[in-house]
Amino acid sequence: MNRTRVVVLGAGIVGAACARELTLAGFDVVVVDRGRPAGGTTSHGEGNILVSDKGPGAELDLAKLSTALWPQVVAEIADEDARAASSIEYDPKGGIVVATTDDGAVALAAFAASQTGVRAEPLSHKELADAEPALTRDVTAAFHYPEDAQVQPAGAALALLGSALRHGAQLRFDTEVVGATVHNGRITGVRVPGEVIEADVVVNAAGPWAGQVSARLGAPIAVRPRRGEVLVTTPMPGVVRHKVYDADYVGAVGADSGELQTSAVVESTWGGTVLIGSSRRRVEFDDTIRPEVLSAIAVKALRLFPSLADVAIMRAYGGFRPYVDDHLPVLGEDPRLENLWHATGHEGAGIGLSVGTARLLRELLTGTEPAMPVGEFTVDRSAVLAEAAA
């Protein structure tokens, strides 16, 4: 019996996670990427797995699903290849969200109380000082989110993809999709230079390039790039112990303006370097790193961790997040082109939400009852189709 062939477009972490889940489900999977695996948005992220930044609704439910799945996925990969699992650098270190104004404290407490099913523990000044000794004492409220975690994003994507390949998936890199083959309103393959890769199902997991790819396939969706930058210090192990961010971060994520939005987000890696973010701005695919943006990020970070003032910055990098106007992922079959599915639009949460997204896609394609309702993620909502069709 011929197996259903699924072509996954994109070898970032969402595409890799989808490829793994679908291969394990028995599909014949081919991953196609115009560059190299984890070479785009995935390699320019911080690796966050967060429930702390999401208000009530479907995205929080997806975050809770993904948070529960991550340790399971890591354990499964460890059974296959311990070295690959180690490269994920899964660290359930927890997060701390702080407010630095009276109004911010009220808003943070209300936000934490609204997150049904999420552990959010208020911290006293002493508890906060014990948890993060280098953090400023000028804090009006703080909440500990023990379910927040972190991975090394490129390592995690490659481990997921490697698992898919071990189970029979194929990879085509340096291969750009230029179009689609369509028969009776159904996509039957993707065109790449010199050939057609036949498919029963195509999954558009191209991240911030998903809008461009979808237009080439004949079913455009309104996914656009939103740029962010990160500063990286020289190693300083133990100085920052959790993911720590100012409550303003939630507002910056949800802002609709294309203008620069910055907030203080500070965390360390396994190697001891400290990642300092974050910024958000819409500049299409302009990859210029601008000193004024890095300066704005640094100023806000120093308000949380004044001791970072004398720390050397080793490098800075930036990347593009897949942005949708209603700030929700896109997951489902395209209503205009049968057998074309989209798995994108996660903005800055794609690392954390990747495994939950992949599980839902697997369930939808196999006719299994989804682990959570997916109605808010469908392709036919106005934020996804209205501008694309304009």
Side-chain angles (χ1 to χ4, degrees), residues 173-214:
F173 56 85
D174 292 338
T175 304
E176 186 158 10
V177 171
V178 296
T181 56
V182 178
H183 180 70
N184 291 336
R186 177 186 297 116
I187 193 166
T188 60
V190 294
R191 297 186 183 276
V192 301
E195 66 174 302
V196 171
I197 302 176
E198 295 182 352
D200 300 301
V201 174
V202 174
V203 178
N204 176 15
W209 294 273
Q212 292 182 352
V213 169
S214 64

Side-chain angles (χ1 to χ4, degrees), residues 96-111:
I96 293 177
V97 187
V98 301
T100 54
T101 65
D102 291 338
D103 287 345
V106 172
L108 175 57
F111 183 80

